[in-house]
Amino acid sequence: MSAGGQADPEAIRAEIEATRDQLGRTVDELAARLDVRTRAQERVLRARDTVVETYRESPPVVLSATAALLALVIGIAVWRNKR
């Protein structure tokens, strides 16, 4: 501010522009957080990448875990059908 208590118009404009930029980033971040479909797709892709990486490091473990999971699902399905 100058001696008369008046702010420099260019400084005010710069502050307004900075505030607009910050508000725009905040709105974009909130919109991304509320986009459930995109967040779910990102989780699926991360899970897939984790499985692929784990498979590359230790294929027998992944194959065994997959077989155990498949056996569990089939067992539950058979058990539910018998009830």
Side-chain angles (χ1 to χ4, degrees), residues 10-30:
E10 287 303 314
I12 293 172
R13 285 186 189 100
E15 186 176 341
I16 290 171
E17 187 61 32
T19 302
R20 284 182 181 156
D21 289 343
Q22 183 180 4
L23 181 59
R25 287 190 303 272
T26 301
V27 169
D28 290 343
E29 184 178 332
L30 289 172

Side-chain angles (χ1 to χ4, degrees), residues 47-78:
R48 183 195 67 192
D49 291 344
T50 300
V51 169
V52 168
E53 187 64 31
T54 303
Y55 179 76
R56 287 181 181 156
E57 292 174 1
S58 183
V61 172
V62 173
L63 293 174
S64 298
T66 302
L69 181 60
L70 183 60
L72 178 66
V73 169
I74 291 171
I76 290 172
V78 169

